[in-house]
Amino acid sequence: MEPWLKISLTLTLIGFLKEFRPSEAFYYEYFVGPKNFTEDQVNREALPISVYSTLVLQVFAFLITDMCRYKLLIIVVGLSGVILYSLMLWTTSLLGLQIALGFNGLFYGAAVAYYTYIYTKVDKEHFERVTSHTNAATLAGRTSSGILAQILVSVKWMDVEQLNYISLGAMVLTTLWACILPPVKESMYFQTEEVRHLPFSKKVVSAFVVIKGHLIKAFTNRKVIKWGMWHGFAVAGYTAMEYYIQTLYSLLQTEDQDLYNGAVVALQTFLGFCSSLLAGYVNVTWRNKLDMALAASSLVAGILTIAISQTENIFLCYSLYILNSTLVYFMTTLVMGQIAKEVVEDSYGLVVGTVTFWGQAFTAILTAVVSSEGTGFNLDVRGQFVVYGSYQFGFCLIYVVIAITNFIMNKREKSVKS
């Protein structure tokens, strides 16, 4: 087995384990059921904590990931998951739930180390493949956990509370496997051969000079800017929707209906798994086509989101959400693979982190404006989804303009050359 593939497969097991959390499919039912929190407490006071803490802790993790050479932060992902599910199981207060969701923010914030570790260990020629592998591993973990959750709940072998014990066990395994992950001997900025023996203060100065140079070089490339902007900002609308989709499921559920959240998670992520793998192997010259593809995908995502907001049938809601998710998974994997071709090898992890931060920042802004009480419009869940769909329409228009502008510019260049 080639060394790059061995490293990729080792990391993908961590990706699988960290996403193997059956309780995630029914967290809303758990909060308003066994935990006895009100809908307003969950939607207005608890869930926004996860959004905001992810943003803040992502900045912190982003700054120290390279300094700690990635592995330590991957271990932190596992440990934060252990604390999260321990609190979810045994806390009884709203404050305890908010603290737990704060650790959920750390779990997602530190995950940047998982997604960027691999780029320090393999050559650029393998970037598209390993991007596909790491994304597919997390989706495979969610698929398996969704299937298990649905089976256990449907046959009544476990209730929604007991699913948290399985999630806790998976987080323990994630932590243990992360401990034996091959270390990164040299990081890109703080632990290079040139600065390794310098005092800490000089390491920091040297690192930030290199980071600044990489950021300037990457984000003066128009393709990186426009594709990174789509990945960060357009996906923020989908991410915000993900936080509240289970609230909508609960609203649509009738008294005699069972929830199939686990089956939805399984099918959604299985199709995402397939689409992510497909995106890694699509052999298309995207130079003059990707902008219009992004516009089309944003249009479709907007239509699907608006339809989700208006449906009264939970099974139609499930179906539309699955289609939307599959589209997003395919396009994000495709976009990041194309960005990888436009940046220098050593800066790709930095670009991924920056783009991810843009997305989380705008998710937090959307949450504050749309759903938070006191700071925003305090919309109900249907109103929130209308906003998210309209937001996608806005990005469709932006990328139609970009595509048309590029087409005109390319025509002019060809006419000048001829």
Side-chain angles (χ1 to χ4, degrees):
M1 184 182 295
E2 295 184 52
W4 72 268
L5 183 57
K6 184 177 180 180
I7 294 170
S8 180
L9 293 178
T10 302
L11 186 66
T12 54
L13 181 57
I14 292 176
F16 179 89
L17 289 171
K18 80 180 184 68
E19 292 299 325
F20 192 79
R21 296 170 288 147
S23 56
E24 285 295 289
F26 295 96
Y27 69 80
Y28 186 80
E29 291 302 305
Y30 177 56
F31 291 159
V32 299
K35 285 301 180 183
N36 203 31
F37 295 114
T38 67
E39 291 184 8
D40 272 351
Q41 284 178 320
V42 175
N43 293 326
R44 313 294 183 197
E45 300 179 60
L47 289 180
I49 296 296
S50 183
V51 180
Y52 305 143
S53 62
T54 299
L55 173 63
V56 173
L57 293 169
Q58 190 176 69
V59 175
F60 175 73
F62 179 71
L63 291 174
I64 69 168
T65 293
D66 187 85
M67 189 183 301
C68 297
R69 288 182 283 189
Y70 302 89
K71 179 177 175 176
L72 179 60
L73 267 291
I74 297 175
I75 295 173
V76 167
V77 170
L79 289 174
S80 60
V82 171
I83 297 171
L84 163 65
Y85 288 104
S86 296
L87 287 170
M88 293 268 278
L89 280 164
W90 293 296
T91 190
T92 56
S93 67
L94 178 61
L95 177 60
L97 177 60
Q98 290 172 325
I99 293 172
L101 292 177
F103 278 98
N104 190 54
L106 178 59
F107 178 87
Y108 284 109
V112 68
Y114 165 78
Y115 289 104
T116 54
Y117 167 93
I118 194 66
Y119 303 115
T120 67
K121 302 290 287 184
V122 304
D123 296 330
K124 188 173 182 176
E125 63 184 285
H126 303 302
F127 275 10
E128 282 190 85
R129 295 289 179 87
V130 297
T131 298
S132 177
H133 292 169
T134 53
N135 287 343
T138 60
L139 297 173
R142 291 191 67 194
T143 301
S144 302
S145 65
I147 292 171
L148 181 63
Q150 191 63 56
I151 292 173
L152 293 176
V153 170
S154 294
V155 301
K156 296 181 171 51
W157 288 347
M158 280 189 173
D159 57 30
V160 293
E161 180 176 14
Q162 293 168 329
L163 293 176
N164 286 283
Y165 290 101
I166 300 177
S167 298
L168 177 59
M171 295 303 99
V172 172
L173 290 176
T174 300
T175 306
L176 294 175
W177 191 255
C179 289
I180 63 173
L181 191 69
V184 176
K185 295 180 181 179
E186 290 187 8
S187 65
M188 296 181 188
Y189 303 111
F190 289 93
Q191 304 291 342
T192 63
E193 186 68 35
E194 293 81 4
V195 304
R196 183 179 297 173
H197 303 295
L198 293 178
F200 179 74
S201 59
K202 290 187 177 180
K203 281 185 180 180
V204 171
V205 172
S206 174
F208 277 100
V209 168
V210 177
I211 289 172
K212 179 182 177 182
H214 281 175
L215 286 175
I216 291 173
K217 187 169 184 179
F219 292 103
T220 50
N221 182 324
R222 286 189 305 168
K223 292 179 182 178
V224 174
I225 293 174
K226 64 184 179 181
W227 296 340
M229 183 176 70
W230 184 89
H231 186 283
F233 292 150
V235 174
Y238 171 77
T239 304
M241 181 178 70
E242 269 200 316
Y243 279 106
Y244 289 94
I245 189 66
Q246 290 193 30
T247 304
L248 185 58
Y249 292 162
S250 181
L251 179 66
L252 297 176
Q253 182 188 21
T254 60
E255 290 185 6
D256 60 340
Q257 273 184 335
D258 291 328
L259 282 175
Y260 292 92
N261 296 14
V264 170
V265 169
L267 184 56
Q268 166 207 0
T269 49
F270 174 73
L271 292 175
F273 170 84
C274 295
S275 65
S276 291
L277 286 177
L278 177 63
Y281 291 88
V282 170
N283 187 21
V284 176
T285 302
W286 289 103
R287 183 181 176 187
N288 299 317
K289 301 174 185 175
L290 188 55
D291 297 333
M292 191 55 75
L294 295 178
S297 66
S298 293
L299 175 63
V300 174
I303 292 171
L304 291 173
T305 305
I306 295 292
I308 288 170
S309 75
Q310 300 304 307
T311 185
E312 297 291 342
N313 185 297
I314 191 169
F315 294 104
L316 180 58
C317 180
Y318 285 152
S319 301
L320 295 171
Y321 179 63
I322 290 169
L323 288 174
N324 197 2
S325 299
T326 303
L327 174 66
V328 170
Y329 286 133
F330 177 81
M331 292 305 299
T332 51
T333 304
L334 181 65
V335 165
M336 293 314 294
Q338 294 303 308
I339 288 176
K341 296 178 179 179
E342 299 294 329
V343 299
V344 297
E345 181 176 339
D346 288 346
S347 69
Y348 185 65
L350 178 65
V351 173
V352 170
T354 303
V355 168
T356 303
F357 172 74
W358 290 351
Q360 191 60 41
F362 220 77
T363 300
I365 292 171
L366 276 175
T367 302
V369 171
V370 173
S371 60
S372 294
E373 190 172 8
T375 60
F377 292 104
N378 195 23
L379 298 178
D380 63 18
V381 67
R382 289 188 185 274
Q384 291 175 39
F385 277 55
V386 170
V387 172
Y388 302 149
S390 303
Y391 174 79
Q392 296 288 357
F393 290 148
F395 268 87
C396 172
L397 290 175
I398 289 172
Y399 280 86
V400 166
V401 172
I402 290 174
I404 293 173
T405 302
N406 286 339
F407 177 78
I408 294 171
M409 291 175 64
N410 290 333
K411 280 286 186 181
R412 286 179 178 175
E413 287 178 6
K414 287 180 181 178
S415 63
V416 169
K417 289 178 181 179
S418 60

